[in-house]
Structures are given as structure tokens and as C-alpha cells.
Amino acid sequence: MQSPIHVTSEIGKLKTVMLHRPGKEIENVYPDILHRMLVDDIPYLPIAQEEHDLFAQTLRDNGAEVLYLEDLLTDALADNGIKEEFLEKIIAESGYAAGAIHDGLKEYLLSFNTKDMVDKIIAGVRKDEIKTKHASLAELAEDRDYPFYMDPMPNAYFTRDQQACIGDGITINHMTFKARQRESLFTEYIINHNKRFADKGVEVWRNRYPEGRIEGGDELVLSDHVLAIGISQRTSAKAITELAESLFEKSNYDTVIAIHIPHNHAMMHLDTVFTMINYDQFTVHPAILRDGGHVDAYIMHPSSNGEISITHETNLKEILKKALDKPEIDLIPTGGGDPIIAPREQWNDGSNTLAIAPGVVVTYDRNYVSNDLLRKHGILVHEVRSSELSRGRGGPRCMSCPIVREDLK
Ligand SMILES: NC(=O)NCCC[C@H](N)C(=O)O
């Protein structure tokens, strides 16, 4: 059976992509919780939505089918039994497995139609929205001044991270921080219960329950047999090992390149510092390169005794030349490598390009130095507006989950 998921590169023509249009969750962020919510500022919602609609239109204008996470989840919950099971899980993962608040939340959420319920869960539920009977002392007295029973999910528009499509399958991710962990429950329900995916032969390479942490921003599909993964703030070596074991056993993938990057908020995922944009061209933030273009990378292959062989290599160009079988690799530095422009543009996702075909990318307009340089290297650049979207600390690659790409010729 032909899987509804098919992604064998970072650059094949984009056919189907999943987005989330930012909603009320953005307006449920306030200064005291910015840090915990993993954002640095509060986007102005009407403009963020306008910018997001233009981003979606750019993808459609270039031939991609745009699916929205919120619609896919709504359809997945069409059956009342599934909807109730999902509600139990999301309420439990929000901190209330049983008790008066659990009951109040469930009754409240069930009072909406399914689409509004999904929007509400993403937006968050304030304490003053529900009336609870017989609350316990803990429920009454703990965190008295905290306004939410269910936290908002202001990062839901970064649909790259909750999961990643690799080949004909998917990883449904155990995300690092509490602020995002519930998001991948959405993916699990979409894959298991949305008619587009359920019983259609989608392989789940790794589900969200093993302990090792992994996020899609670290998972780069370099070819139909090579994956690059960041060892980062968000993805652990343990998860990479488990994923490599699964891919080597069940798929075409025979090479995993695990690249160590700084563990900090500005560079939280590999795709904030390194993206593939053409057969032999990449963007790279100079801060991840040591003298002579060196990184710390661990190349993993299956070995004949059933173990994984690991070699440590450091020359990024040489690693990519070998893995992609190319005579040369063009590494294009973010901000031209300038000591001020490069970190400034990287902070606003100047390295986070989304390739929609070989040599064709979508980028934020604000990173004009990096964009001009891409053009000088022969790349076709579609710029999208970015004054509000960028405040969430993610760019076009972060905001998109490719579901189907054309195979490379
Ligand atoms: N792939 C990505 O780099 N996604 C960006 C995620 C930004 C979000 N504020 C986060 O910290 O998770």
C-alpha cells in the first residue's frame, strides 16, 4: 500500500505540508510565562495570522497542498469514543488525571463542537472558564495566582517539531520541555485515527513514549538513505540511537549523521543553524563551525554483527560530500559570516530556510543579507513577511511539516 507519507529528501518538490494557523494561544502568553513557554516575545495575533496566511499562500502558489493540523485533528476525533479517549489523555497530560478539575475540564471541553474544542485545547483553558465542584485543598490552594488549568500551546505553529516524516514513515516525538510535550499527542491521534493516515501503511519509526527526547527541527532528511540529526538542547543521543536502530532495521536508511550543536535557546535545533537547500548546497551558521569548517559529528551505520558502527568525523564538507556522493559542497554562511549580521539574522531564523524544490526556498524577508547571498549562490528565494511570526523564535522550516515531497531525479 502506498503510504500517505513520503519524504525522501529536504529539497524534493513540496507536494503536501502540514501547518497550524496561530490562534488564541498566542494571546494567552504574558510576560511572566514567556521563558517557560519558550518564546521571547508576544506576537501581535492579527498580523501573525496575516503573515501566516501569506506563508501558506506562497506554498500553495508553488504547488503544495496545505493541510492544517487543527483540521486533521478535528477529523481524527470524529468518532465520539475516540474523542473522549483523546480528551482523557490530553487532560491527564495537562496535570489532571482524575478529580474535580479533570471532571470540570472534560465537561467544559465537551460542550464545544469538535473543531472549537481542538482550538480551545491549543489556546488553553483559564481557571475562570470552568466551575469546579468539590475541589481538593491542593486544587484550591496551590498556584492560586496562576491563571490556567490547561496551559496555552503558543508553539503549535512550529509544526516541524512534534513529529518528522522520514521516508514512508514518521517519528512521533517525545519533546523536551513540558511547554511542548502535549503537542505530539495530536500527531498520534492524526496518524492513528484520521482517515488519510489510519491503516494506510504509515510506519512509526519511533513513538512518543520512550524516554529519549527528540524534536523534528533536529531531523533532516538528506536523501533516501541518509539522515542528519542534531545532538542539541532538544534531541538526546539516546533518542538518536533508538531511532537509528529502528531505521536500520525497518527502512532504507543506512546512515545517520549525528551533529553536535551548542545547547542553547538561540540554536535549539539543528535546523536553526544548518539546512539543505539544493543537491549540494546548505545554509550554515558560522557559530557551529570551528576553524577550517569543523564540527563534531558521529556517523552511524548498521554493521554486520547487528550492532551500530560509529565513527567520529569533523570536516563538515567532507562528511556531506561522502554521504551525498557529490564532488563539491557549497556551504552558504548565514549573514555572510559577519560577526554582527550573522548572529542577528540567525536569531531571526536566517538559517532556517524551507526548501520547496531543489534550489528554491522560502525565507523571512527580514534576513536580507542572508537572502541576497543565497541569490548570489543561484538560489531562487521567496521571501515572506516576518515581523510577528519571528517572535516565536522559528522560521519557515520550523513552521512546516512536509508530508509528501517528490523524489529527487
Ligand atoms: N524547528 C525549530 O527550530 N522550531 C522552532 C521552535 C521554537 C519554539 N519557540 C521552541 O522553543 O520550541
Side-chain angles (χ1 to χ4, degrees):
M1 187 184 296
Q2 174 87 32
S3 168
I5 290 178
H6 189 70
V7 178
T8 56
S9 77
E10 285 290 305
I11 59 171
K13 189 169 169 48
L14 187 63
K15 303 297 287 180
T16 304
V17 64
M18 179 175 76
L19 310 182
H20 165 63
R21 185 174 196 258
K24 289 281 179 202
E25 64 277 8
I26 301 291
E27 295 192 327
N28 272 337
V29 177
Y30 59 100
D32 286 355
I33 63 170
L34 280 179
H35 182 68
R36 197 161 55 75
M37 288 290 134
L38 309 171
V39 293
D40 300 291
D41 203 349
I42 306 163
Y44 173 38
L45 183 60
I47 305 295
Q49 289 177 326
E50 214 177 286
E51 290 176 355
H52 196 271
D53 291 344
L54 290 170
F55 172 57
Q57 197 52 44
T58 302
L59 301 180
R60 282 189 205 99
D61 290 347
N62 285 279
E65 172 194 25
V66 173
L67 306 174
Y68 284 94
L69 158 73
E70 49 277 31
D71 297 334
L72 292 173
L73 183 59
T74 302
D75 291 348
L77 304 180
D79 175 277
N80 281 336
I82 303 295
K83 176 170 162 178
E84 198 165 331
E85 179 194 290
F86 168 79
L87 263 187
E88 285 292 344
K89 287 194 184 159
I90 197 86
I91 295 172
E93 290 194 17
S94 302
Y96 306 98
I101 295 173
H102 162 278
D103 297 349
L105 281 168
K106 190 168 171 189
E107 188 184 327
Y108 180 60
L109 291 168
L110 280 172
S111 71
F112 293 93
N113 68 45
T114 308
K115 170 67 168 61
D116 292 345
M117 181 192 87
V118 165
D119 290 344
K120 186 77 217 156
I121 288 169
I122 297 173
V125 179
R126 290 169 62 127
K127 288 183 175 168
D128 58 14
E129 286 177 78
I130 66 165
K131 292 186 186 48
T132 55
K133 295 171 247 156
H134 318 299
S136 67
L137 180 63
E139 288 167 350
L140 285 171
E142 265 171 21
D143 288 331
R144 250 180 30 178
D145 299 326
Y146 190 64
F148 297 107
Y149 280 138
M150 285 177 83
D151 274 351
M153 302 187 197
N155 295 295
Y157 73 99
F158 298 118
T159 53
R160 177 64 63 163
D161 300 322
Q162 308 89 325
Q163 67 288 301
C165 297
I166 303 170
D168 287 351
I170 192 164
T171 64
I172 305 178
N173 293 338
H174 174 170
M175 303 184 79
T176 291
F177 292 113
K178 207 159 187 265
R180 300 204 64 182
Q181 280 170 347
R182 292 171 302 162
E183 291 176 35
S184 63
L185 187 64
F186 299 166
T187 317
E188 182 180 290
Y189 272 76
I190 290 170
I191 294 300
N192 290 339
H193 302 292
N194 185 298
K195 288 197 179 70
R196 188 177 181 120
F197 301 98
D199 305 318
K200 297 278 182 348
V202 174
E203 291 272 5
V204 178
W205 306 125
R206 189 171 182 279
N207 68 30
R208 64 193 291 270
Y209 298 103
E211 194 192 335
R213 305 167 294 101
I214 186 165
E215 299 192 2
D218 281 309
E219 302 174 73
L220 270 62
V221 182
L222 299 192
S223 77
D224 60 0
H225 68 109
V226 181
L227 194 71
I229 311 191
I231 309 171
S232 71
Q233 184 195 63
R234 303 296 177 86
T235 295
S236 64
K238 185 173 167 47
I240 297 173
T241 306
E242 289 163 3
L243 176 57
E245 282 166 358
S246 167
L247 289 171
F248 294 164
E249 189 192 325
K250 300 189 229 156
S251 78
N252 271 348
Y253 283 80
D254 59 13
T255 307
V256 170
I257 304 173
I259 303 176
H260 203 280
I261 61 167
H263 288 33
N264 63 42
H265 182 55
M267 304 178 201
M268 86 266 316
H269 298 119
L270 182 60
D271 72 355
T272 64
V273 288
F274 176 74
T275 51
M276 184 174 189
I277 55 177
N278 204 350
Y279 295 98
D280 52 3
Q281 291 180 294
F282 292 78
T283 65
V284 64
H285 180 39
I288 68 160
L289 301 177
R290 297 197 300 274
D291 282 350
H294 288 268
V295 291
D296 274 316
Y298 300 87
I299 321 294
M300 307 167 82
H301 295 293
S303 76
S304 49
N305 62 5
E307 305 277 297
I308 291 181
S309 75
I310 304 176
T311 51
H312 179 234
E313 291 182 30
T314 62
N315 188 315
L316 184 58
K317 269 194 184 183
E318 293 305 319
I319 294 168
L320 295 170
K321 276 179 2 191
K322 192 157 132 202
L324 298 173
D325 195 20
K326 295 285 171 222
E328 208 26 85
I329 293 287
D330 182 18
L331 295 179
I332 306 173
T334 309
D338 179 271
I340 292 175
I341 301 170
R344 185 188 77 221
E345 293 207 341
Q346 188 277 334
W347 177 245
N348 286 311
D349 288 284
S351 306
N352 190 257
T353 52
L354 170 68
I356 54 173
V360 184
V361 298
V362 179
T363 61
Y364 278 163
D365 56 355
R366 63 192 307 148
N367 298 314
Y368 58 89
V369 177
S370 302
N371 291 342
D372 285 348
L373 193 59
L374 291 176
R375 290 190 180 98
K376 285 192 183 114
H377 284 249
I379 303 293
L380 175 60
V381 180
H382 296 281
E383 294 185 5
V384 293
R385 276 172 41 199
S386 56
S387 67
E388 299 307 310
L389 291 175
S390 61
R391 294 179 201 268
R393 204 78 307 112
R397 188 181 190 276
C398 304
M399 291 192 297
S400 54
C401 174
I403 307 271
V404 180
R405 284 186 185 269
E406 268 178 16
D407 285 336
L408 296 178
K409 302 196 172 79

